[in-house]
Amino acid sequence: AQSVTQPDIHITVSEGASLELRCNYSYGATPYLFWYVQSPGQGLQLLLKYFSGDTLVQGIKGFEAEFKRSQSSFNLRKPSVHWSDAAEYFCAVGARNTGNQFYFGTGTSLTVIP
Amino acid sequence: DTGVSQDPRHKITKRGQNVTFRCDPISEHNRLYWYRQTLGQGPEFLTYFQNEAQLEKSRLLSDRFSAERPKGSFSTLEIQRTEQGDSAMYLCASSPREGVWNGYTFGSGTRLTVV
């Protein structure tokens, strides 16, 4: 069965510091992986996605993520965090079935302190 | 392209009442999805349409829930005899069939509070 684990419920970083958000997935085949960001009271915005090929993918807003098959991980990184990055971050795996539904993790809440 | 629109943004209802939400997807997207997000959780799949056909429903979608997408355009999600456990954010998303793996486009959601 497909599942996604985000081990960190909440992370606090200082503005300008680097960031890494962890994501581990369980899926029986090569996964389609995504990171979404959600600001309070808003819908989800796609940050980046991975299907195949280069395991380091670049996204919007300066984010990147690295797919590591051996660790079943797809961690999100940013070298220098801005105050506007404070939000909820969700990792998701896409199922290659008829509906192509996504399975989301429980999210990591990011607080940025000045 | 104005994105995915959901209406209303917020809904407060008394337990036992019926509520209906609307989603207008991106016009050229033929796939439409409904997800539910409870506090502190990630979105959970409810159902999906390809054009007007409802092709998959989650076990989360009890018989009190019904979704429609007449003419393959906008969609409605109705909850009958609401319960407090129905309080959640209801998210709609759309995608083109060919580009689903580019990621859905989500709406801003409808937040339902059942009192």
Side-chain angles (χ1 to χ4, degrees):
Chain A
Q2 303 89 340
S3 67
V4 174
T5 302
Q6 293 182 249
D8 303 306
I9 296 173
H10 185 249
I11 284 181
T12 299
V13 299
S14 298
E15 191 169 14
S18 64
L19 171 70
E20 182 169 27
L21 302 182
R22 295 183 291 165
C23 171
N24 293 96
Y25 68 89
S26 173
Y27 189 68
T30 301
Y32 292 156
L33 294 163
F34 304 84
W35 275 99
Y36 280 86
V37 61
Q38 186 178 36
S39 297
Q42 299 298 312
L44 286 80
Q45 181 184 20
L46 180 67
L47 286 176
L48 48 75
K49 58 188 181 287
Y50 171 78
F51 303 156
S52 62
D54 191 348
T55 56
L56 184 64
V57 293
Q58 302 297 318
I60 63 171
K61 305 184 179 186
F63 285 92
E64 65 179 25
E66 186 172 13
F67 171 63
K68 293 185 177 180
R69 182 185 302 275
S70 61
Q71 299 176 17
S72 297
S73 70
F74 188 57
N75 294 349
L76 182 71
R77 302 194 295 248
K78 186 170 186 178
S80 178
V81 171
H82 188 263
W83 64 266
S84 61
D85 293 324
E88 189 88 16
Y89 291 81
F90 292 94
C91 181
V93 61
R96 296 189 188 191
N97 55 20
T98 306
N100 303 128
Q101 61 178 277
F102 288 9
Y103 294 86
F104 287 85
T106 52
T108 297
S109 176
L110 175 65
T111 297
V112 180
I113 56 177
Chain B
D1 176 6
T2 57
V4 177
S5 299
Q6 292 190 246
D7 184 69
R9 290 294 307 275
H10 300 91
K11 178 71 176 179
I12 300 174
T13 191
K14 293 183 178 180
R15 189 174 51 188
Q17 296 294 304
N18 299 344
V19 294
T20 300
F21 311 141
R22 177 180 171 124
C23 171
D24 287 272
I26 293 172
S27 57
E28 60 266 29
H29 287 182
N30 54 13
R31 288 195 172 187
L32 186 147
Y33 298 80
W34 285 99
Y35 280 76
R36 182 177 72 183
Q37 184 179 19
T38 53
L39 201 60
Q41 299 297 315
E44 296 173 293
F45 172 78
L46 291 178
T47 189
Y48 113 93
F49 292 84
Q50 182 158 301
N51 301 312
E52 66 277 9
Q54 187 175 18
L55 297 184
E56 191 171 342
K57 292 193 288 186
S58 162
R59 281 173 285 183
L60 293 175
L61 212 67
S62 76
D63 56 6
R64 296 185 298 105
F65 288 70
S66 63
E68 294 182 343
R69 193 184 182 195
K71 303 179 183 178
S73 56
F74 70 93
S75 176
T76 58
L77 178 67
E78 180 183 17
I79 309 174
Q80 296 182 326
R81 306 180 303 281
T82 53
E83 302 173 355
Q84 286 190 321
D86 297 330
S87 295
M89 174 81 89
Y90 289 85
L91 293 162
C92 177
S94 70
S95 79
R97 178 179 180 180
E98 302 76 20
V100 65
W101 297 122
N102 288 322
Y104 307 153
T105 300
F106 279 90
S108 297
T110 294
R111 180 165 295 285
L112 173 66
T113 302
V114 181
V115 298

